[in-house]
C-alpha cells in the first residue's frame, strides 16, 4: 500500500506548475498596453472567451462598429487558457440542471445550444482557427451502482423529450470504448460536445478580432464604468476609454458592477496532464474515438485525450477560499494534485508508471444555478454575463450574443428566454457563505459515499434552488 502511494506521488515529481495549454511556443506576443485616451462605440472588458466572442460578434453584426477590448493580463491567461477544453452545446450546465430549472423551455434551450455549437465550428473554419477542434462527444460515466440507475433515468428523460443524440452504454459497451475496471455504464452524448485546445481557441479568436479591426490592449486593467452623457468612461492605469456601450466579461474576477458580486463566487479547479502516451499505453486503455469523459459523482473528474496523445485529468476538489479572493498563489494546490494522481491510477491501473508533465489550477465563476445569468446597468449602457460555472467554452458565445442584444436594445429569441430574464439566488455574505459552502461540500462527499442519498441540507438546498458546483 505504501509503495502504491509512493508511485502516484512520484508521478508528480517532474510536473511543471503551470497550465499545459499556455506552455506553448506558439503563444502570441501580447498587444501593447493602452497609454492615453481612447474612444469607441463598444468597449469590451476581459480577454477571455466571453470578451473575445463579444468583440468578434459585434464586428460581424456591424463591421463599422468601433470596438476596443482591454485585458488586465494577456488574452486567454485566466480560465480560457486553463480549462479542460470541453466545448459543449449545453447552455444549462447539463440536461438535468436545465430540466429542473427551465422545463418549459428546455427544448428551445437545447436547440439554441446546438445551433451555437454549430456556429462555433463554422466560425473556426471561416477564420482558420486551428485549435484541435474534434466533435467527438462526451460520455458521462457511472462508477457506482446508484449512478447506473441515474444514467438510465437521464436516458429516459432524453427519449421522452425527443432530444436524441444520446446512447446508453452498458458496462461491456462502455469498456469497449474506454477500458477502466471502475466503469459500470455510460451515457454518450454523441454530437453535443467537442474537444479542443482552449488556449489556441482564445489566441485564434484574438487574431480574428484583430483582423476585423478590433483594437486590443493587454496588460490594461479596467476600472468601473462611470456614466457620462450618452455613454460611459472607464479609467485604466495609463489612460481612459470613452465608450457608448460597455460589455463586461470579467467572470470570476470581481465585477465592476458591484450589485452583481453576491451572485458569483470564485472556486478553484485543478488539473493534471500526463506525458505523451505510447501506442502500447493507448492500446491498453482502448480510447480510440477520443471522446471527452466525465464521471457522474457530485465530486466528479473530467478527462480527455489531447492531440499529442496526453491525458488531461481534472476536477474532483472544489476549493473555495474565505472571502472569495482570486490570487495567483491559489492556482497551485499540491494536496489536490496528490488526490488526482491517486484517482487517475485507480481509474487506469494499466498506465502504472506514466508521469505527469504539468499541474495547475484556476478560478471558475460559479453561481447558485450553475449556468450563466445576464443583465444591464447604468441605464442599459453596460451589460454583463456571469456564472458559467465551468461550462463556458461554448456557452460564452451565446452569452456574448445576449449581451449585444441587450446593449442594442433588441428583443430576440434569446432575450425572451426565462433563463435570460431571471437571475440565480445570491450567495450570503461571509462568514455564512464560507460555512454554507463548507457544509455543502461535506454533504456532497457524504452523498457520494452513501449511494447518492442526499441529506436534509442538500434536500433543503434543492428545494430553495441553491447549489454549488464547478
Amino acid at each position: 500500500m505504501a509503495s502504491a502511494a509512493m508511485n502516484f506521488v512520484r508521478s508528480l515529481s517532474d510536473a511543471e506548475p503551470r497550465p499545459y495549454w499556455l506552455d506553448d511556443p506558439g503563444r502570441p506576443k501580447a498587444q501593447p498596453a493602452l497609454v492615453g485616451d481612447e474612444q469607441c462605440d463598444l468597449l469590451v472588458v476581459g480577454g477571455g472567451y466571453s470578451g473575445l466572442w463579444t468583440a468578434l460578434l459585434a464586428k460581424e453584426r456591424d463591421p463599422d462598429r468601433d470596438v476596443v477590448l482591454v485585458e488586465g493580463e494577456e488574452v486567454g491567461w485566466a480560465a480560457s487558457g486553463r480549462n479542460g477544453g470541453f466545448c459543449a452545446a449545453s447552455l444549462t450546465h447539463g440536461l438535468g440542471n436545465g430540466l429542473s430549472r427551465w422545463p418549459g423551455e428546455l427544448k428551445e434551450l437545447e436547440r439554441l445550444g446546438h445551433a451555437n455549437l454549430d456556429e462555433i465550428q463554422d466560425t473556426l473554419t471561416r477564420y482558420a482557427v486551428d485549435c484541435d477542434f474534434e466533435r467527438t462527444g462526451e460520455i458521462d460515466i457511472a462508477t457506482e451502482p446508484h449512478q447506473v440507475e441515474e444514467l438510465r433515468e437521464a436516458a429516459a428523460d432524453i427519449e421522452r423529450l425527443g432530444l436524441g443524440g444520446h446512447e446508453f452504454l452498458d458496462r461491456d459497451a462502455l469498456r469497449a470504448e474506454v477500458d477502466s475496471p471502475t466503469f459500470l455504464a455510460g451515457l454518450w452524448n454523441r454530437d453535443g460536445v467537442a474537444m479542443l485546445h482552449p488556449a489556441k481557441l482564445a489566441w485564434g479568436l484574438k487574431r480574428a478580432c484583430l483582423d476585423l479591426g478590433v483594437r486590443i490592449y493587454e496588460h490594461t486593467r479596467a476600472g468601473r464604468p462611470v456614466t457620462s452623457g450618452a455613454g460611459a468612461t472607464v479609467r485604466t492605469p495609463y489612460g481612459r476609454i470613452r465608450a457608448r456601450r460597455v460589455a463586461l466579461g470579467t467572470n470570476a474576477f470581481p465585477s465592476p458592477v458591484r450589485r452583481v458580486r453576491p451572485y458569483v463566487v470564485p472556486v478553484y479547479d485543478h488539473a493534471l496532464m500526463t506525458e505523451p502516451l505510447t501506442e502500447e499505453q493507448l492500446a491498453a486503455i482502448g480510447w480510440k474515438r477520443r471522446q471527452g469523459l466525465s464521471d457522474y459523482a457530485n465530486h466528479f473528474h473530467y478527462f480527455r485525450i489531447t492531440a499529442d496523445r496526453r491525458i488531461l485529468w481534472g476536477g474532483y476538489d472544489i476549493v473555495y477560499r474565505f472571502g472569495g479572493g482570486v490570487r495567483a498563489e491559489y492556482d497551485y494546490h499540491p494536496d489536490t494534485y496528490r488526490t488526482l494522481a491517486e484517482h487517475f491510477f485507480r481509474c487506469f491501473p494499466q498506465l502504472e508508471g506514466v508521469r505527469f508533465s504539468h499541474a495547475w489550477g484556476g478560478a471558475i465563476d460559479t453561481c447558485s444555478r450553475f449556468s450563466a445569468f445576464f443583465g444591464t446597468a447604468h441605464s442599459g449602457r453596460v451589460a454583463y454575463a456571469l456564472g458559467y460555472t465551468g461550462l463556458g467554452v461554448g456557452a460564452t458565445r451565446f452569452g456574448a450574443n445576449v449581451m449585444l442584444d441587450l446593449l442594442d436594445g433588441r428583443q430576440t429569441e434569446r432575450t425572451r428566454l426565462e433563463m435570460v430574464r431571471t437571475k440565480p439566488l445570491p450567495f450570503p455574505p461571509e462568514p455564512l457563505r464560507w460555512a454554507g459552502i463548507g457544509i455543502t461540500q461535506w454533504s456532497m462527499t457524504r452523498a457520494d459515499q452513501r449511494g447518492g442519498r442526499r441529506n436534509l441540507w442538500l434536500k433543503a438546498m434543492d428545494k430553495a434552488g441553491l447549489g454549488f458546483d464547478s
Side-chain angles (χ1 to χ4, degrees):
M1 193 75 174
S3 175
M6 284 305 299
N7 284 340
F8 72 74
V9 171
R10 193 176 296 116
S11 70
L12 294 163
S13 61
D14 297 323
E16 297 284 348
R18 56 178 177 266
Y20 165 76
W21 311 115
L22 297 176
D23 191 13
D24 190 305
R27 184 173 181 170
K29 183 180 178 181
Q31 295 294 109
L34 173 64
V35 177
D37 291 352
E38 267 279 19
Q39 289 191 352
C40 59
D41 296 320
L42 175 66
L43 170 63
V44 179
V45 178
Y49 299 142
S50 187
L52 291 164
W53 280 120
T54 303
L56 183 68
L57 291 167
K59 293 295 284 186
E60 288 186 339
R61 288 187 181 198
D62 180 3
D64 294 328
R65 181 158 23 191
D66 191 20
V67 180
V68 168
L69 182 150
V70 295
E71 161 58 38
E73 296 288 339
E74 293 185 18
V75 162
W77 164 82
S80 297
R82 298 166 186 262
N83 64 82
F86 287 62
C87 185
S90 177
L91 305 175
T92 61
H93 207 272
L95 188 68
N97 190 52
L99 188 59
S100 68
R101 297 182 187 279
W102 303 287
E105 63 184 27
L106 183 62
K107 283 190 176 182
E108 179 73 356
L109 288 165
E110 286 289 300
R111 180 186 69 80
L112 289 169
H114 279 269
N116 183 63
L117 183 57
D118 291 341
E119 289 157 3
I120 289 172
Q121 187 168 0
D122 290 344
T123 300
L124 300 182
T125 300
R126 189 163 65 252
Y127 293 105
V129 175
D130 181 8
C131 61
D132 303 334
F133 185 93
E134 298 178 276
R135 201 150 172 177
T136 57
E138 178 181 5
I139 305 176
D140 289 328
I141 293 170
T143 57
E144 298 290 341
H146 71 274
Q147 295 168 7
V148 177
E149 294 309 308
E150 290 173 1
L151 287 180
R152 288 189 186 278
E153 291 170 7
D157 285 338
I158 291 165
E159 184 175 355
R160 175 174 56 82
L161 292 166
L163 296 176
H166 291 67
E167 179 183 355
F168 181 83
L169 305 173
D170 63 19
R171 178 181 177 276
D172 291 342
L174 173 59
R175 292 188 63 173
E177 294 294 332
V178 187
D179 190 14
S180 166
T182 67
F183 291 178
L184 303 180
L187 183 59
W188 186 359
N189 180 350
R190 283 185 167 272
D191 191 52
V193 184
M195 299 292 106
L196 53 76
H197 186 303
K200 287 183 178 179
L201 172 60
W203 300 334
L205 293 176
K206 172 185 174 180
R207 177 177 53 79
C209 285
L210 290 169
D211 289 346
L212 291 179
V214 177
R215 299 193 300 286
I216 296 177
Y217 297 99
E218 296 178 79
H219 298 291
T220 302
R221 294 185 181 274
R224 64 183 183 87
V226 176
T227 304
S228 55
T233 300
V234 171
R235 291 196 173 274
T236 68
Y238 307 115
R240 61 183 176 178
I241 305 167
R242 167 83 173 164
R244 290 183 58 253
R245 297 290 183 265
V246 180
L248 301 175
T250 52
N251 297 318
F253 296 91
S255 174
V257 178
R258 291 182 180 274
R259 71 170 182 264
V260 304
R261 291 183 183 181
Y263 293 98
V264 173
V265 296
V267 298
Y268 277 79
D269 182 46
H270 296 84
L272 304 175
M273 186 71 83
T274 71
E275 62 190 354
L277 301 187
T278 66
E279 292 290 349
E280 292 76 14
Q281 289 166 331
L282 281 173
I285 57 176
W287 198 346
K288 298 184 183 69
R289 299 203 232 192
R290 305 173 60 80
Q291 307 97 325
L293 306 178
S294 177
D295 64 59
Y296 218 56
N298 289 309
H299 287 291
F300 63 92
H301 306 86
Y302 54 88
F303 39 122
R304 46 80 56 99
I305 294 181
T306 67
D308 58 349
R309 304 191 312 189
R310 301 168 185 261
I311 294 179
L312 177 142
W313 179 267
Y316 190 73
D317 281 347
I318 312 169
V319 183
Y320 174 74
R321 263 75 174 196
F322 184 88
V326 180
R327 300 178 183 174
E329 59 263 34
Y330 295 164
D331 294 344
Y332 190 65
H333 203 240
D335 287 348
T336 294
Y337 303 144
R338 286 192 291 270
T339 299
L340 285 173
E342 179 183 8
H343 293 178
F344 176 86
F345 290 110
R346 186 185 305 163
C347 179
F348 293 124
Q350 312 96 303
L351 298 181
E352 182 179 358
V354 167
R355 302 176 77 86
F356 297 100
S357 63
H358 294 75
W360 73 93
I364 290 172
D365 60 327
T366 192
C367 72
S368 63
R369 74 183 193 187
F370 311 150
S371 55
F373 64 94
F374 314 89
T376 61
H378 296 280
S379 301
R381 297 179 182 90
V382 177
Y384 55 83
L386 295 166
Y388 290 97
T389 315
L391 210 67
V393 178
T396 45
R397 184 185 180 278
F398 175 84
N401 267 318
V402 171
M403 283 198 286
L404 291 172
D405 289 346
L406 295 173
L407 290 173
D408 292 342
R410 297 175 58 193
Q411 285 285 323
T412 67
E413 61 182 352
R414 290 179 289 265
T415 61
R416 286 189 287 269
L417 290 166
E418 181 187 355
M419 174 192 172
V420 171
R421 292 184 289 104
T422 59
K423 287 185 174 56
L425 291 171
F427 292 98
E430 300 288 18
L432 295 177
R433 178 183 298 180
W434 167 261
I437 289 173
I439 295 170
T440 303
Q441 291 264 48
W442 177 83
S443 298
M444 290 165 65
T445 301
R446 291 276 290 170
D448 284 338
Q449 295 170 345
R450 299 174 64 207
R453 294 190 297 277
R454 298 172 75 80
N455 62 16
L456 291 175
W457 175 265
L458 291 180
K459 289 177 180 178
M461 296 273 284
D462 293 342
K463 191 172 182 179
L466 280 164
F468 182 73
D469 204 350
S470 68

